[in-house]
Amino acid sequence: MLYIKNAVIKTMAGVEYQNGQILIEDGKIKAVGEAVERPAGADELDAGGKLVTPGLVDAHCHIGLFGTALRWESEDANEELDPITPQLRGIDSVNPMDEGFENAQKGGVTCVCTGPGSGNVIGGTFTALKTHGSRVDDMVMIRECAMKIAFGENPKSSYGLKDKSPYTRMAVAALLREALFKAKRYSDDLEEYERSQNPEKKRPPFDMKMEALLPVIRKQMPLKSHAHRADDIFTSIRVAREFGLDITLDHCTEGHLIADALAAEGWPVLIGPTFGDKTKPEMKNKTFDTLKVLTDAGLKVSIITDAPFIPIERLTLCAGYAITAGVDEQTAWECITINPAEVIGVADRVGSIAPGKDADLVIHSGNPLRDIGSQVLYTFIDGQLVYKA
């Protein structure tokens, strides 16, 4: 049992405490407030008036799949031999020993949604993980929480430059549709077989790709759409609508150019990597203004690092730049805590400080969204101290 006292607590649950306490028991938050008493025998940590926040959440990254400081030896995020690979599971490529997880802890990021890259039209499933552990199975929050799809330059360059399809954006959309049509028929055939009372009726032949797409077709898992350019964003929405599927709009670099239309659609938007150079033509309109415009439009916005493309420990720096673009501070905090937790389906456990939730907490030396010199002093995951400055 751990008792944290003398803390400025940003709960992200509608209340803040200027001189608060947090009681942790069995990896969960047992109590939070300004009148929480220390039980006999509980360990005590004096926060010294420092800021305590929920563990940060990054809803789109690739840590554990793109190795740190390595080349092809640890490039395990893109199987660029077939543009349609829904059967791949990001969890099977995650290396918990990769430096990215240690860096996440140093930056106060306690939960990530990590998975395949954008080399394929359908890349496989993302997984929601805690950022501490030596065995990925023990870090899992949701084993398969989204199916990665990609539009634009990445799948085009992965195959078109090798004289293979997809060479055009038409082909990207067509290949995705073909896979979804097949998955829909496969699902229908399975359901018909399961309803049938005819002992002579045969089960449809097993298809690993179609099996992997069943949760998508049955709306048990959203599509996770890599799209930078406005037309690619609209194409992803068009295809999802054709099949009645759920979707998140990841990167959404030109989202500020089509804010009214995106607001009318209402799908979650995950913005980033926004810090850094405009590394390819479809990112020419990249700006931190996107966050301001889309939050003002009423959309649920999350800030993502796309790590390792932005170091994951700089998630708060990205939120700080959003403030310089006009986003209010509370909204910026929401974009790296509760919003991404809700988007990836783990808000019942993380993203805010409340009784019953996982004790994923960060103690900061200052306000990292306002002070670039602020550093993480302590990071707790499931009540365990995993990083101390």
Side-chain angles (χ1 to χ4, degrees):
M1 189 176 294
L2 176 64
Y3 180 76
I4 300 174
K5 70 175 185 179
N6 193 19
V8 176
I9 305 172
K10 179 175 281 294
T11 68
M12 303 309 301
V15 62
E16 297 185 11
Y17 301 106
Q18 296 305 307
N19 186 18
Q21 306 90 36
I22 303 172
L23 182 61
I24 299 169
E25 184 176 27
D26 296 329
K28 299 288 185 179
I29 297 168
K30 185 174 179 63
V32 57
E34 292 188 344
V36 179
E37 295 185 0
R38 177 190 177 190
D43 294 330
E44 181 176 287
L45 175 62
D46 188 340
K50 302 300 185 183
L51 176 66
V52 180
T53 69
L56 310 182
V57 182
D58 191 335
H60 182 126
C61 68
H62 307 282
I63 66 169
L65 291 93
F66 285 112
T68 303
L70 292 171
R71 306 167 298 167
W72 60 268
E73 297 95 337
S74 63
E75 208 291 349
D76 286 312
N78 290 296
E79 186 72 14
E80 294 183 3
L81 296 174
D82 180 352
I84 305 297
T85 57
Q87 76 278 20
L88 302 185
R89 300 174 182 177
I91 189 174
D92 294 327
S93 273
V94 172
N95 175 17
M97 306 299 182
D98 181 70
E99 183 183 343
F101 288 99
E102 181 181 348
N103 291 338
Q105 296 166 29
K106 291 178 180 178
V109 180
T110 59
C111 171
V112 295
C113 187
T114 189
S118 48
N120 289 345
V121 177
I122 304 180
T125 54
F126 269 57
T127 184
L129 301 173
K130 296 294 183 77
T131 58
H132 175 70
S134 58
R135 181 176 181 175
V136 68
D137 307 81
D138 299 330
M139 301 158 67
V140 169
M141 299 184 73
I142 302 178
R143 188 172 299 275
E144 297 173 27
C145 60
M147 178 65 72
K148 178 69 176 290
I149 61 174
F151 297 83
E153 293 174 20
N154 285 19
K156 276 165 48 69
S157 64
S158 294
Y159 293 91
L161 296 180
K162 301 173 186 175
D163 294 325
K164 298 179 180 179
S165 185
Y167 189 83
T168 65
R169 281 176 162 81
M170 291 183 293
V172 171
L175 287 168
L176 176 59
R177 279 195 185 91
E178 180 182 23
L180 293 175
F181 272 121
K182 289 179 177 178
K184 179 66 168 64
R185 178 169 295 180
Y186 187 80
S187 177
D188 291 344
D189 289 347
L190 276 178
E191 290 175 357
E192 182 181 348
Y193 166 77
E194 290 164 358
R195 288 193 303 266
S196 175
Q197 301 298 313
N198 184 353
E200 296 183 0
K201 189 175 182 63
K202 293 184 179 181
R203 187 187 190 280
F206 177 82
D207 187 318
M208 184 65 171
K209 290 185 178 183
M210 297 302 103
E211 289 285 334
L213 284 171
L214 284 178
V216 175
I217 291 294
R218 295 173 177 176
K219 297 189 70 171
Q220 298 163 343
M221 178 192 301
L223 294 169
K224 192 172 185 64
S225 173
H226 163 109
H228 288 281
R229 226 167 69 175
D231 56 335
D232 290 326
I233 297 168
F234 283 141
T235 299
S236 67
I237 294 172
R238 183 184 315 119
V239 174
R241 181 184 290 167
E242 288 173 15
F243 292 88
L245 306 179
D246 293 330
I247 191 169
T248 65
L249 305 176
D250 296 42
H251 306 309
C252 208
T253 303
E254 293 188 349
H256 58 287
L257 304 180
I258 53 174
D260 290 346
L262 294 183
E265 294 288 344
W267 296 113
V269 291
L270 285 61
I271 307 300
T274 310
F275 181 76
D277 196 15
K278 300 175 180 180
T279 55
K280 50 188 176 179
E282 65 186 6
M283 296 174 71
K284 67 179 181 179
N285 289 312
K286 182 172 76 168
T287 171
F288 278 100
D289 293 340
T290 307
L291 288 151
K292 167 68 172 171
V293 173
L294 295 183
T295 55
D296 285 353
L299 285 161
K300 184 181 294 297
V301 178
S302 301
I303 296 173
I304 61 175
T305 64
D306 202 27
F309 299 100
I310 294 176
I312 193 164
E313 65 269 26
R314 302 305 177 197
L315 182 59
T316 52
L317 180 65
C318 296
Y321 273 112
I323 292 174
T324 67
V327 175
D328 70 85
E329 184 177 327
Q330 177 64 22
T331 299
W333 276 111
E334 291 170 359
C335 289
I336 57 175
T337 55
I338 192 63
N339 285 3
E342 290 177 351
V343 167
I344 63 178
V346 294
D348 60 325
R349 293 180 57 184
V350 300
S352 63
I353 301 174
K357 285 199 170 187
D358 295 357
D360 292 4
L361 305 169
V362 185
I363 303 179
H364 308 264
S365 67
N367 183 342
L369 274 56
R370 295 287 188 181
D371 177 10
I372 195 171
S374 174
Q375 62 176 320
V376 171
L377 300 177
Y378 301 89
T379 300
F380 295 88
I381 296 179
D382 295 325
Q384 179 182 352
L385 179 63
V386 299
Y387 173 74
K388 179 180 180 181

